[in-house]
Amino acid sequence: MIGLISATAAGAAARDRLAAAWPDRTRVYEGPVGDAVRTAFAQCEQLVCFLATGAVVRLVAPLLSGKTEDPGVVCVDEGGRFAVSLLGGHAGGGNELAREVGDLLGAEPVVTTATDAVDLAGLDTLGLPVEGDVAGVSRALLDGEAVALRAEVAWPLPPLPPLPVTDEGAYTIRLTDRLVAAAEREAVLRPPTLVIGVGASRGAPVEEVLGLVEEALREAGLSVAAVAELATVEAKAEEAGIVEAARRLGVPLVTYSAEELAGVDVPNPSNAPLAAVGTPSVAEAAALVGGGELLVPKRKSAASPAMATCAVVRRPGRGRLAVVGLGPGARDLLTPRAKAELRRASVLVGLDQYVDQIRDLLRPGTRILESGLGAEEERARTAVEEARKGQAVALIGSGDAGVYAMASPALAEASDDIDVVGVPGVTAALAAGAILGAPLGHDHVSISLSDLHTPWEVIERRVRAAAEADIVVTFYNPRSRGRDWQLPKALGILAEHRTPRTPVGVVRNASRPDESSRLTTLGSLDPATVDMMTVVTVGNTATRDIAGRMVTPRGYRWQAAQEGAE
């Protein structure tokens, strides 16, 4: 919950805007400001104070416990010009809250956390448990000192800055799931690599289940902070001891059918679970379903009779491939999700001209693998190969990456050994449609006229189908110096089913600084004025030119009314 505190009418007005926008996230605290701040500080995960920073500093100073316990606190000035992250920037989410408040109120977010100020991913912002000399290692990264990266397990990390990351250094980042104490000048990150398979008799107490898990981890030298999930058979999905053990560990409980578990090869099958739940193994099989290394074979709890079993598996870190659509070119049409994925990636793969569009958004240390036109399949293979190495990879394309772009060749290369995330983008057809008016208001289709990858016979068949179905058509890749006859041919096919007065929209470089557009007709369009940077949208029999805008109605009753009026 976010506590909202204000002292003046101006502050209350801004406060109420936040409360209206986030009704389920916020709570307004009335009354004397000092009392309101103290109460909200105790009750809320975050605070937004519409007060001077000095006043808030004095009010919260006696309440502070530590950077991992204190809530995030953001101050907004009376004029609503700035949203200052004052406290709990990382652990309390104050930095991100300042950005959110700034977006909503039109205020400038002010973030002074050192790593954020230089666009370095803070070690405590990676979503992994971290301990040790986090401040010292972060300072070393900021100062450009030698930092050793000891990756004992593979995990897709965001980019490190362009610093001398070596095997030896005065400071160390250690990536491990082992039960080790951080050494001097060392920060230890624990990725969630461990899966605990558990089985239990009916009524097994949580203390027995949890005690067995913790003992197995401790004796194997593994950290409980690296546990990703508890896994068991579906028949035990509501077994109270297992459910509560997962809750106390703070991890999800994942279940599998007996048939799935029976198909897993395990070293220690048993007739007892086979008779009870239909599979010769629960603990080992549940842990091994997703593959990995069996670190702790099935073991029983020490109680007599033993009511719980467990096994521990280390699953290999999976690389991550984000296929990101950059939109048509304008920065404000690049989605926030796309920006987040670009900043998360340690490796960026893309066409050189697209890389130039977003180079300034990348974090320092991002490795850039760029190439020229015509290397789409090579870029797709490169992106998948980098993800298979355990990297966090972003593969970029213009518009939407799934529309005439990089998603299909990349996914054709990828298998189920990496995680793939698709990030949608604004397509050229949508950007052009918004410029022209509403040409895509009813059924529509996009057809590429490039026959480099698709035989012309197939393209022509699709154009004829769209013409006969009276569907609005947007042509991508309409004409180049080496392909100058395809567009006239396609327009001729449409003209067999549509009148010469049919509106046609022509948009070049939609949303970019040299954008141009015009509205013409099927009978008047000169194909020689079109190039590869252009999309051509041809209306259907209902499309009209209304006040210079291309409009396709959602139904045909409107068309009948228009024709009657004419």
Side-chain angles (χ1 to χ4, degrees), residues 1 30-31 42 100 104 106 109 116 120 138 152 170 246 346 361 372 409 418 464:
M1 186 63 64
E30 304 278 8
E100 288 187 87
L104 186 61
D116 292 68
L120 173 67
S138 298
E152 298 174 7
S346 59
L361 296 178
I418 61 174
R464 289 193 181 279

Side-chain angles (χ1 to χ4, degrees), residues 90 95 99 113-127 130 134 137-139 141-142 156-163 173 189 340 342-346 362-366:
H90 284 168
N95 294 349
R99 297 185 183 101
T113 307
T115 50
D116 292 68
V118 298
D119 212 16
L120 173 67
L123 297 178
D124 54 351
T125 67
L126 304 182
V130 59
V134 177
V137 173
S138 298
R139 186 169 56 251
L141 290 171
L142 290 167
L157 293 175
L160 291 170
L163 301 173
I173 299 173
L189 292 168
L342 293 175
R343 292 170 59 78
R344 177 173 181 164
S346 59
L362 305 177
R363 289 189 186 275
T366 304

Side-chain angles (χ1 to χ4, degrees), residues 362-394:
L362 305 177
R363 289 189 186 275
T366 304
R367 185 156 56 95
I368 300 173
L369 304 176
E370 53 188 317
S371 53
L373 287 168
E376 288 83 1
E377 293 180 356
E378 176 188 342
R379 284 194 291 275
R381 284 193 296 269
T382 297
V384 172
E385 288 169 2
E386 290 293 328
R388 285 184 175 140
K389 296 175 185 177
Q391 302 285 346
V393 182

Side-chain angles (χ1 to χ4, degrees), residues 76-170:
V76 179
D77 65 286
E78 292 291 312
R81 298 168 301 167
F82 304 104
V84 182
S85 177
L86 186 68
L87 183 67
H90 284 168
N95 294 349
E96 183 58 32
L97 180 60
R99 297 185 183 101
E100 288 187 87
V101 171
D103 286 343
L104 186 61
L105 299 181
E108 180 71 21
V110 179
V111 176
T112 59
T113 307
T115 50
D116 292 68
V118 298
D119 212 16
L120 173 67
L123 297 178
D124 54 351
T125 67
L126 304 182
L128 304 178
V130 59
E131 59 189 65
D133 189 9
V134 177
V137 173
S138 298
R139 186 169 56 251
L141 290 171
L142 290 167
D143 292 343
E145 297 185 37
V147 176
L149 177 61
R150 295 178 56 189
E152 298 174 7
V153 292
W155 198 259
L157 293 175
L160 291 170
L163 301 173
V165 180
T166 62
D167 290 334
E168 296 182 359

Side-chain angles (χ1 to χ4, degrees), residues 324-327 329 331 334 342 345 347-363 366-373 379 382 393-399 406 512:
V324 181
L326 301 181
R331 178 58 61 83
L334 177 67
L342 293 175
V347 179
L348 181 87
V349 182
L351 179 67
D352 47 13
Q353 58 184 282
Y354 297 152
V355 172
D356 289 340
Q357 290 180 22
I358 49 82
R359 196 182 298 270
D360 62 302
L361 296 178
L362 305 177
R363 289 189 186 275
T366 304
R367 185 156 56 95
I368 300 173
L369 304 176
E370 53 188 317
S371 53
L373 287 168
R379 284 194 291 275
T382 297
V393 182
L395 174 63
I396 59 173
S398 66
M406 294 305 302
R512 300 184 182 184

Side-chain angles (χ1 to χ4, degrees), residues 353-562:
Q353 58 184 282
Y354 297 152
V355 172
D356 289 340
Q357 290 180 22
I358 49 82
R359 196 182 298 270
D360 62 302
L361 296 178
L362 305 177
R363 289 189 186 275
T366 304
R367 185 156 56 95
I368 300 173
L369 304 176
E370 53 188 317
S371 53
L373 287 168
E376 288 83 1
E377 293 180 356
E378 176 188 342
R379 284 194 291 275
R381 284 193 296 269
T382 297
V384 172
E385 288 169 2
E386 290 293 328
R388 285 184 175 140
K389 296 175 185 177
Q391 302 285 346
V393 182
L395 174 63
I396 59 173
S398 66
D400 183 281
V403 179
Y404 303 124
M406 294 305 302
S408 54
L411 297 190
E413 291 285 337
S415 52
D416 63 358
D417 57 344
I418 61 174
D419 294 326
V420 178
V421 177
V423 182
V426 178
T427 68
L430 295 178
I435 293 165
L436 294 169
L440 310 182
H442 207 285
D443 296 335
H444 55 275
V445 63
S446 295
I447 299 176
S448 171
L449 295 184
S450 172
D451 55 2
L452 295 177
H453 300 289
T454 306
W456 173 255
E457 293 76 14
V458 175
I459 297 173
E460 181 174 336
R461 187 164 66 247
R462 292 170 179 171
V463 174
R464 289 193 181 279
E468 293 170 2
D470 195 26
I471 295 175
V472 175
V473 181
T474 297
F475 290 122
Y476 280 69
N477 306 312
R479 184 177 180 273
S480 67
R481 282 178 293 183
R483 295 186 302 99
D484 58 1
W485 59 268
Q486 287 91 341
L487 178 59
K489 177 69 172 177
L491 294 174
I493 293 171
L494 293 178
E496 296 173 9
H497 300 269
R498 303 176 195 185
T499 71
R501 294 188 302 164
T502 301
V504 175
V506 181
V507 180
R508 188 176 190 278
N509 284 331
S511 86
R512 300 184 182 184
D514 55 346
E515 168 191 298
S516 63
S517 65
R518 67 184 188 277
L519 187 57
T520 181
T521 64
L522 187 57
S524 301
L525 175 62
D526 179 4
T529 62
V530 173
D531 63 12
M532 284 289 287
M533 306 303 294
T534 306
V535 291
V536 177
T537 301
V538 182
N540 65 12
T541 56
T543 305
R544 292 290 183 269
D545 177 346
I546 302 177
R549 301 182 185 91
M550 189 175 177
V551 180
T552 302
R554 294 182 61 187
Y556 286 90
R557 290 189 297 273
W558 177 90
Q559 179 189 12
Q562 283 289 106

